Amino acid sequence: MIAQNLLTLLIALPFLGAIIAATMPRGARNSVALLAGAVFLAMLGLLAGLHPSVTSGEVVATTLKWVPSLGLNLRFRLDGFAWLMLLLVAGIGILVVIYARYYLAATEAASRFHALILAFSGAMSGLLLSGNVIMLVVFWELTSLCSFLLISYWHQKPEARRGARIALTVTAGGGLCLLAAMVMMGHIAGGYELDTVLSAAADIRTHPLYPVILVLTLLAAFTKSAQVPFQFWLPNAMAAPTPVSAYLHSATMVNAGVFLLVRFYPVLGSTDAWFGLVVVTGMATLIFGAVMALVQNDLKGVLAYSTISHLGLITALTGIGSPTAIVAAMFHIVNHAVFKASLFMAMGIVDHETGTRDIRRLSGLRRWMPETTWLAVVASASMAGVPLLNGFLSKEMFFEAAFAWNNGSTLDDLLPYLATLAGAFSVAYSLRLIVEVFFGPPATDLPKFPPHEPPSPMRRPVEILVILCLAIGIFPGPILGTTLQDAAVAVLGSRAPTFDLKVWHGVNMAFIMSVVAMVAGTALFFLFRRRIAGLADASDGAGERGGRTFDTIMWFGLERPAQIITRLFTARGLRQQLVVILIVSLIFAAVVAPGTRWMPVERGFGLDDAVFALMWLVGGACAIGTAWQAKYHRFAALVLLGGVGVMTVLSYAWLSAPDLAVTQLLVELTTTVLLLLGLRWLPKRDEEFPGDRELEARLRRGRDLVLAIAAGAGVAAISYAVMTAPAVPGLGDWFLRNAYSEGGGTNAVNVILVDFRAFDTFGEIVVLAIVALTVFALLRRFRPAPESANPPRAQGGGNQPPLADLIFVPSILMRWMFPVTVLMAVYFFLRGHDLPGGGFAAGVTLAIGLMVQYLATSVRWIEGRITVLPVRWVAFGLNVAALVGIGSWLFRFPFLTAHAQYVTLPVIGPVPAATAMLFDLGVFAVVAGAVTLIVIALAHQSLRVGHPPDRGPEPLAETGGEP
Amino acid sequence: MTFVLACAIGILIGSGIWLVLRPRTFQVICGLSLLSYGVNLFIFGVGRPRVGAPPLLTKGGYVDTAAYADPLPQALVLTAIVIGFATTALFLVVLIASRGTTGTDHVDGQEPGR
């Protein structure tokens, strides 16, 4: 049971860390790095704690109920192979975090970086631990998404955005193939649990759909692990920051494809199709990558192609598929991750300290960076496969597998030669990397001159990895022997070979192949050094060319058809679209209209009705007046709009909806002020538009008038039909019956809002908060049109007395009204549960109180006296509402279950004290904050006028708009 | 009264639609306000509004549902009013920002014929 809990913790930790990191301040690079480091350290600790169970050959599994009613559970399982891979994720993760702390500049968003790194490690862990094949696909795609976001970390660079897009398209496309394959496999196996699928291997291999499943799975693996012909995304992904390249694009994520191959080898492997496809692809990638790595001028380009080549090697090993080959593949995954991560970090140091990654400009860095030089030398020697280093051991095992494998085909005969050829190339590019960059005459043409060693903590991760290269290279058995054995047992079961990791196997065929590759590679580099440089210049940007093919495919396959469809099916202007929508709905209404049963017009027309009709005579006139005047007389239109609002308020009050009347009245006031503030920024409408009296414009108006009348008449008819149809007892009765007995309030409307349907209200206030923040954000960058920049006529133009003098008396009165308004807000709030009022009304009232103060005086006057922090009110309100909701979990009730009772206070007497009141407090704070924020943000725009556009944050920010 | 209310809703919707079809952003924002009055009244109307029966209950005892107006449409309209305010505010800000960046208050962001 303890192991299960540790496993749950292992998968939850990185995601929790990511959420915390994402909320930390942008520049808090020390604390965020500490957090990420702590998470990885904890993961390592958990892995250590789980080690005993894994070594005993047990599969630790845990099932979290997710949607039990649908049979969806999150199942995680840990075996030796996943343990080994997780060790890489957490171990290299911690080193990358240390490295990135010094790699990223102080001005860069460290919190976003680490949040994404943590999210990625969570996704990767999920992928490795998934006990359900569909979940595996979900985490697979999640790693692609994290990779996308991390490649585009420097999103201001076009090549970063492009690289991210290519990587996402390729790897997520592969993920879709994987989904299809998994669905088919699960269907055949009769279940989607990984163990079910693994145990149905025989059924799957003999199923007629096997070739389809195989190809789809291989497509997923090959895209993720950058195998030919999908390799082009990896060089393009090198636009990412180097820690990301070291972590995702060499040590962990790209191994996911190989992981998939090894994981599903027992199910899909051991067939001729598997051998053919996987070995050919792997070998082609191995050689292609090695050759391309030799002719790159970009340091990271060399490493990217070298990574492709090594992934090809691992793929080829899984294709060969003998038990020893599978062990060699696992071993090489570890070795490659260690030496390649260290090389990436070393090259990142070079880039960081010299300002360039161009091999042509770099030379003789040994003089300035002796320690980095030696670290790079050892790591590349491991990459080249020099004895006593870890790279040598697994390469030796590869040679041995290539030589020993026998299925009698031509490929089999060629394999040892191809392997040696690739080995020679990898020796050559490793040599070139070291010789050109660190040796030779000192460079003179460097962007940062003279270069120097990085801060020593930045070198530390590289040192650790290089020591690991040496340690594994010299003592492979004691360090990795049991771990590899566990991993092999996890994948191969009883077929797992007993092997002995030794440095020296005697002079056998593999050793001879190694020696040949060494000699040939060294000769290749030194004899053709100049030719290679020339080829490198010529082939510069080969990754770019792969990207261009990708662009062409995307253009003709996706973008062009999308453009054509858009052009065919959309109208250009807003009005044309609206007209179409309107005409279609009119046609539909006309079609269903004949089925309506019309009730006769009510008999009798009393005094009430006459007054109501008179009221709406005014209201209707106001509405039509608004429509008439809104173009040239905006102020008049606004006044008339207010008239309509007042009639609406009266109707609510008359027709038994006091809550609506109160809220509508308050919102009406705020909206009018808001629109008045907005009028200031609209263009002058002193003269008519030139074309307004032409026939075309008249025709258009005529058409719109017909449409408007038709729509209005139609809606009137529908309303009448609905309102006169006999009432059906509905939900309303239930709410009325239970409002007091269940909700503890006599105002049924308020009880519905804060108790019965509180979750809906919660959604509403979240929307309100989002809108307010959006308004705030939009206005922070707002630049008015030049002609609106001057103060309007009413403010100080001409001979008029200053505005403050004009409104002196009203302003004194309005100041005095503030406490009264606040009191009114409190009153509305407190009575809300039993009488008309409530959080919505109270919130708007408070906002109006503040707004009036702004109108009465000036922004500077008021903000010198009260601190207005609307953003914090919104945050407070949302938190209160959410906490009240979560609070009911403590009592094992669903989210937002309310509890009601009356509490007797001294002097005041019994007061309703439902938890719904607390929720209403949240509503109140959000509404007050959001409305205030919107109005104030708009009012503040006037302060910008007359300032140069580059001025810093305006007073709203100072008063708490932003921390 | 029902007839009057239905006519009122019709006029509000008709004027609103006329304004929404106009080319200037301010006209559209007025039109949307009128439309939201109309739609709110319509939703409210579905509850068969009556005079003098607000859904304010007495404390305890039997609840005669026939004595009160339907509270559900009222609750719906109450949130709709507040959300309507929020969208109006958002639209207003978008329109003045668009006017600042495009230099015109035409709904399509450019003067016709240009």
Side-chain angles (χ1 to χ4, degrees):
Chain A
M1 196 56 218
I2 293 171
Q4 272 81 352
N5 288 339
L6 291 185
L7 189 58
T8 315
L9 206 57
L10 183 66
I11 187 79
L13 257 183
F15 287 114
L16 283 179
I19 292 171
I20 297 173
T23 54
M24 284 165 86
R26 182 186 146 86
R29 55 179 186 161
N30 281 327
S31 38
V32 84
L34 271 179
L35 170 80
V39 168
F40 284 123
L41 207 59
M43 283 172 77
L44 283 176
L46 290 169
L47 284 174
L50 286 161
H51 190 247
S53 341
V54 173
T55 309
S56 63
E58 187 190 328
V59 173
V60 184
T62 178
T63 307
L64 303 177
K65 287 203 171 63
W66 180 27
V67 192
S69 53
L70 290 177
L72 288 178
N73 296 319
L74 298 175
R75 186 174 162 77
F76 297 102
R77 70 193 278 288
L78 176 72
D79 59 13
F81 184 38
W83 194 90
L84 177 69
M85 301 287 287
L86 278 169
L87 190 66
L88 287 180
V89 171
I92 295 185
I94 197 166
L95 299 177
V96 161
V97 165
I98 300 171
Y99 180 79
R101 160 64 186 77
Y102 297 93
Y103 180 84
L104 295 177
T107 48
E108 284 170 323
S111 55
R112 177 158 57 95
F113 182 86
H114 284 98
L116 286 172
I117 287 278
L118 284 171
F120 165 77
S121 65
M124 192 69 201
S125 311
L127 166 67
L128 299 170
L129 288 171
S130 287
N132 176 307
V133 290
I134 303 296
M135 260 171 65
L136 182 111
V137 179
V138 173
F139 283 114
W140 180 279
E141 296 289 41
L142 208 53
T143 58
S144 294
L145 272 180
C146 291
S147 144
F148 169 79
L149 292 170
L150 279 166
I151 296 170
S152 59
Y153 176 71
W154 287 319
H155 48 73
Q156 63 279 17
K157 292 189 187 173
E159 70 267 22
R161 296 196 298 267
R162 193 176 129 79
R165 209 170 52 233
I166 295 177
L168 180 70
T169 315
V170 174
T171 56
L176 291 179
C177 297
L178 187 64
L179 178 62
M182 290 302 171
V183 169
M184 283 191 258
M185 272 201 262
H187 192 72
I188 297 170
Y192 293 96
E193 303 289 292
L194 184 58
D195 293 316
T196 317
V197 173
L198 288 179
S199 61
D203 293 341
I204 293 172
R205 268 203 298 268
T206 52
H207 199 272
L209 278 176
Y210 169 75
V212 184
I213 296 174
L214 179 68
V215 167
L216 287 172
T217 313
L218 292 184
L219 274 176
F222 292 167
T223 48
K224 198 80 166 180
S225 285
Q227 299 295 298
V228 171
F230 305 108
Q231 82 293 342
F232 61 90
W233 73 263
L234 194 60
N236 279 299
M238 289 298 133
T242 299
V244 173
S245 308
Y247 191 39
L248 272 72
H249 304 123
S250 79
T252 53
M253 190 188 84
V254 286
N255 280 332
V258 190
F259 170 81
L260 185 76
L261 290 181
V262 176
R263 179 57 93 203
F264 285 89
Y265 164 75
V267 181
L268 300 172
S270 327
T271 62
D272 287 342
W274 168 280
F275 287 138
L277 287 170
V278 181
V279 174
V280 168
T281 311
M283 289 309 289
T285 311
L286 169 66
I287 291 172
F288 176 82
V291 173
M292 289 303 291
L294 187 58
V295 291
Q296 297 298 308
N297 278 328
D298 179 14
L299 287 182
K300 286 179 86 175
V302 176
L303 294 184
Y305 278 106
S306 151
T307 304
I308 291 173
S309 164
H310 282 273
L311 289 168
L313 188 156
I314 303 170
T315 306
L317 277 170
T318 55
I320 292 171
S322 63
T324 41
I326 296 290
V327 172
M330 293 172 177
F331 192 27
H332 200 65
I333 288 177
V334 178
N335 291 336
H336 173 251
V338 171
F339 68 67
K340 192 54 67 64
S342 63
L343 264 179
F344 261 113
M345 291 188 195
M347 295 309 146
I349 290 175
V350 169
D351 183 15
H352 201 256
E353 303 304 331
T354 64
T356 179
R357 301 195 316 231
D358 193 331
I359 288 179
R360 286 166 296 186
R361 296 173 75 179
L362 293 163
S363 180
L365 291 186
R366 185 169 56 109
R367 268 186 52 163
W368 297 292
M369 313 167 80
E371 294 187 37
T372 309
T373 304
W374 288 114
L375 293 172
V377 166
V378 178
S380 352
S382 178
M383 176 161 81
V386 172
L388 292 184
L389 291 166
N390 61 349
F392 169 73
L393 296 174
S394 42
K395 187 165 279 189
E396 197 86 324
M397 288 167 87
F398 167 61
F399 285 164
E400 207 170 292
F403 181 70
W405 183 50
N406 208 326
N407 73 345
S409 64
T410 334
L411 183 65
D412 171 43
D413 298 337
L414 277 175
L415 213 52
Y417 301 101
L418 294 174
T420 316
L421 179 72
F425 270 97
S426 88
V427 170
Y429 69 68
S430 306
L431 258 176
R432 178 167 182 256
L433 190 68
I434 292 302
V435 172
E436 301 283 6
V437 174
F438 294 101
F439 293 86
T444 47
D445 166 39
L446 292 177
K448 290 184 190 168
F449 194 86
H452 52 79
E453 286 281 352
S456 60
M458 187 170 177
R459 227 172 33 229
R460 209 92 326 138
V462 193
E463 287 163 2
I464 294 174
L465 288 169
V466 166
I467 290 171
L468 267 176
C469 287
L470 278 164
I472 299 176
I474 300 171
F475 308 109
I479 296 179
L480 275 177
T482 50
T483 314
L484 271 181
Q485 188 73 47
D486 295 342
V489 170
V491 176
L492 299 166
S494 55
R495 287 177 60 215
T498 44
F499 53 88
D500 188 11
L501 296 176
K502 268 193 310 194
V503 181
W504 180 243
H505 287 270
V507 181
N508 56 9
M509 200 58 205
F511 185 73
I512 293 169
M513 285 162 76
S514 265
V515 172
V516 171
M518 292 282 209
V519 174
T522 317
L524 176 68
F525 172 64
F526 283 110
L527 291 179
F528 298 104
R529 193 167 170 182
R530 195 149 302 160
R531 286 287 297 278
I532 292 170
L535 279 172
D537 289 344
S539 80
D540 212 16
E544 182 60 22
R545 269 203 292 285
R548 220 170 292 153
T549 320
F550 170 84
D551 283 347
T552 318
I553 294 172
M554 292 303 279
W555 170 250
F556 284 106
L558 210 61
E559 289 167 36
R560 190 81 194 110
Q563 279 180 0
I564 293 171
I565 291 172
T566 312
R567 196 177 323 138
L568 282 178
F569 293 105
T570 58
R572 275 194 305 133
L574 174 70
R575 289 188 290 163
Q576 288 90 316
Q577 297 175 18
L578 287 177
V579 167
V580 172
I581 293 174
L582 207 56
I583 290 176
V584 171
S585 10
L586 282 172
I587 291 171
F588 271 107
V591 170
V592 297
T596 316
R597 276 194 302 152
W598 298 100
M599 295 291 149
V601 179
E602 67 230 64
R603 302 274 169 225
F605 197 74
L607 185 61
D608 286 6
D609 298 300
V611 175
F612 196 69
L614 269 177
M615 230 171 75
W616 275 106
L617 197 64
V618 177
C622 283
I624 294 167
T626 311
W628 187 273
Q629 295 296 342
K631 190 165 198 176
Y632 292 110
H633 302 277
R634 288 185 288 233
F635 185 72
L638 206 49
V639 173
L640 290 169
L641 192 63
V644 183
V646 170
M647 290 312 144
T648 313
V649 170
L650 287 177
S651 308
Y652 286 142
W654 194 330
L655 296 170
S656 324
D659 272 294
L660 294 188
V662 170
T663 315
Q664 180 76 65
L665 181 65
L666 295 167
V667 166
E668 198 54 48
L669 285 170
T670 327
T671 313
T672 309
V673 171
L674 199 69
L675 289 176
L676 280 171
L677 285 170
L679 279 187
R680 159 90 168 76
W681 305 105
L682 292 174
K684 289 202 177 76
R685 273 286 177 278
D686 291 339
E687 53 201 55
E688 243 177 52
F689 284 100
D692 252 12
R693 288 182 186 277
E694 282 168 16
L695 183 63
E696 194 198 337
R698 280 169 195 269
L699 280 177
R700 197 164 50 224
R701 281 200 293 270
R703 177 198 67 187
D704 293 350
L705 188 65
V706 171
L707 281 175
I709 290 174
V715 173
I718 295 172
S719 318
Y720 187 74
V722 170
M723 284 190 281
T724 51
V728 199
L731 278 173
D733 293 348
W734 187 91
F735 285 125
L736 281 172
R737 269 192 219 105
N738 293 292
Y740 187 72
S741 54
E742 301 277 322
T746 55
N747 181 358
V749 176
N750 186 269
V751 174
I752 292 175
L753 286 175
V754 299
D755 188 338
F756 294 133
R757 304 299 305 164
F759 194 66
D760 295 354
T761 310
F762 188 61
E764 306 265 6
I765 58 174
V766 171
V767 170
L768 199 61
I770 292 171
V771 167
L773 290 178
T774 314
V775 166
F776 178 53
L778 275 174
L779 287 177
R780 272 167 63 84
R781 294 290 176 91
F782 171 64
R783 294 283 170 265
E787 58 185 90
S788 305
N790 298 320
R793 267 172 295 186
Q795 289 178 19
N799 315 327
Q800 290 173 1
L803 194 65
D805 291 356
L806 277 179
I807 61 162
F808 182 70
V809 174
S811 118
I812 299 281
L813 289 175
M814 281 147 94
R815 267 186 244 166
W816 277 100
M817 272 163 64
F818 187 54
V820 181
T821 338
V822 174
L823 189 68
M824 204 164 113
V826 175
Y827 175 63
F828 271 144
F829 175 73
L830 284 178
R831 69 189 290 222
H833 216 46
D834 286 343
L835 291 164
F840 276 114
V844 185
T845 310
L846 187 66
I848 289 175
L850 273 170
M851 198 167 77
V852 166
Q853 300 314 302
Y854 274 86
L855 290 178
T857 57
S858 74
V859 173
R860 299 197 192 284
W861 188 91
I862 184 138
E863 284 175 359
R865 281 162 183 78
I866 354 180
T867 322
V868 188
L869 301 169
V871 178
R872 293 201 192 164
W873 300 351
V874 172
F876 168 78
L878 282 180
N879 279 315
V880 167
L883 285 177
V884 170
I886 290 166
S888 48
W889 284 346
L890 292 181
F891 303 96
R892 304 198 168 272
F893 283 111
F895 188 66
L896 276 172
T897 309
H899 177 74
Q901 73 175 75
Y902 279 80
V903 174
T904 311
L905 290 183
V907 187
I908 300 174
V911 170
T915 56
M917 286 281 282
L918 272 178
F919 178 73
D920 213 14
L921 180 69
V923 174
F924 165 71
V926 172
V927 173
V931 176
T932 312
L933 182 61
I934 292 171
V935 176
I936 294 183
L938 202 51
H940 271 247
Q941 299 313 313
S942 300
L943 292 182
R944 289 174 182 273
V945 178
H947 298 314
D950 294 335
R951 253 189 59 136
E954 290 297 332
L956 186 59
E958 286 162 25
T959 53
E962 200 189 52
Chain B
M1 205 165 256
T2 313
F3 181 73
V4 176
L5 191 59
C7 290
I9 295 171
I11 291 172
L12 290 177
I13 298 279
S15 323
I17 282 181
W18 160 264
L19 279 175
V20 166
L21 292 174
R22 297 296 91 219
R24 302 291 148 186
T25 46
F26 185 77
Q27 293 173 302
V28 176
I29 205 170
C30 287
L32 284 177
S33 294
L34 287 176
L35 278 179
S36 69
Y37 289 135
V39 171
N40 284 347
L41 279 173
F42 176 74
I43 298 174
F44 175 62
V46 172
R48 314 299 189 293
R50 292 179 292 156
V51 182
L56 301 171
L57 313 166
T58 50
K59 293 190 176 175
Y62 173 73
V63 181
D64 175 19
T65 52
Y68 301 103
D70 191 345
L72 188 61
Q74 297 195 15
L76 293 178
V77 173
L78 189 73
T79 44
I81 291 172
V82 179
I83 292 293
F85 163 76
T87 47
T88 308
L90 185 61
F91 184 47
L92 179 74
V93 170
V94 169
L95 83 83
I96 61 177
S98 136
R99 143 91 171 129
T101 36
T102 62
T104 164
D105 66 339
H106 195 278
V107 285
D108 295 334
Q110 57 184 21
E111 291 294 329
R114 256 179 231 176

